[in-house]
Amino acid sequence: MHFPNVFTPPVLTVLAALAFALAGCSDPSSHTAGVAARPVGGDFVLQSAAGSVDTRVLRGKVLLVYFGYTHCPDVCPAAMGVGAQTLNALTPEERAKTRMLMISVDPERDTPAVLKTYVAYFHPEMVGVTGTPAEIAAVAKAYGAAYIKQPPNEHGAYAVDHSAQTFVVAPDGRLAEILPPATSKEKMLAVVRGLLP
Ligand code: NI
């Protein structure tokens, strides 16, 4: 399940809190689904199967940052698919300056190894990262992403409702664009190319 289709009361509380924390911003273009106000983004260090991923080391590249989880039934696969199509549409030179990172909002199940297998299904150059619940919460807050774990069913399975934007970080590290869910490959490609050095 995903925002904004399923707003459960706890989620609304989270979003209301975000809106309050970020009150004062008035850029209407930033009011995309699941995002309360213009977030600031910023650097982070999270863990992939190949080791730490530090965004400060990725200066000079365009980053596509997506928050999701590998058990997601629908929207995550769609978003990852569009990301993969975008990477494939870039020239090799452009692609060398572009990274797509999937940040898990389900660190309990999404180990670095699980994430590696998952993202590789979409594109060999995608990177899946995770961290402690506190680390992920801090990054999500900085980017204006929201997520909330739902109660498990009788088999212990659970969903994690989450916002589904793709955050585009410019080569200088600033959060340049927030692409709403279901953004097309053409749009994503244009945004990436507009930021490439
Ligand atoms: Ni999802």
Side-chain angles (χ1 to χ4, degrees):
M1 296 188 290
H2 291 268
F3 308 151
N5 304 325
V6 184
F7 277 116
T8 57
V11 168
L12 288 174
T13 304
V14 168
L15 293 178
L18 276 172
F20 179 77
L22 297 168
C25 300
S26 59
D27 176 9
S29 69
S30 70
H31 290 244
T32 50
V35 177
R38 185 75 188 173
V40 295
D43 286 313
F44 56 83
V45 181
L46 291 170
Q47 304 304 315
S48 76
S52 289
V53 172
D54 183 342
T55 53
R56 290 169 298 186
V57 179
L58 297 173
R59 285 288 189 277
K61 301 183 193 304
V62 173
L63 308 183
L64 298 168
V65 179
Y66 181 79
F67 295 81
Y69 70 116
T70 66
H71 284 71
C72 182
D74 40 35
V75 174
C76 286
M80 297 295 285
V82 171
Q85 291 171 24
T86 300
L87 293 179
N88 284 332
L90 294 168
T91 68
E93 293 74 22
E94 290 170 331
R95 194 158 56 244
K97 297 175 186 170
T98 307
R99 291 285 182 280
M100 182 158 181
L101 305 177
M102 178 183 181
I103 299 177
S104 176
V105 294
D106 184 16
E108 205 174 312
R109 291 182 296 195
D110 288 344
T111 64
V114 166
L115 283 164
K116 180 184 179 185
T117 302
Y118 182 79
V119 299
Y121 174 78
F122 296 96
H123 197 283
E125 293 175 28
M126 284 185 181
V127 180
V129 293
T130 185
T132 67
E135 287 169 338
I136 292 167
V139 178
K141 184 179 180 187
Y143 279 78
Y147 58 95
I148 187 161
K149 180 182 171 181
Q150 294 301 309
N153 66 17
E154 67 271 26
H155 306 294
Y158 58 89
V160 183
D161 290 355
H162 64 96
S163 52
Q165 299 83 15
T166 299
F167 299 89
V168 188
V169 177
D172 63 2
R174 87 196 138 81
L175 175 55
E177 189 113 16
I178 301 173
L179 300 174
T183 291
S184 69
K185 175 202 73 176
E186 289 73 22
K187 168 67 176 174
M188 191 175 285
L189 186 62
V191 168
V192 169
R193 283 191 163 139
L195 292 169
L196 280 170

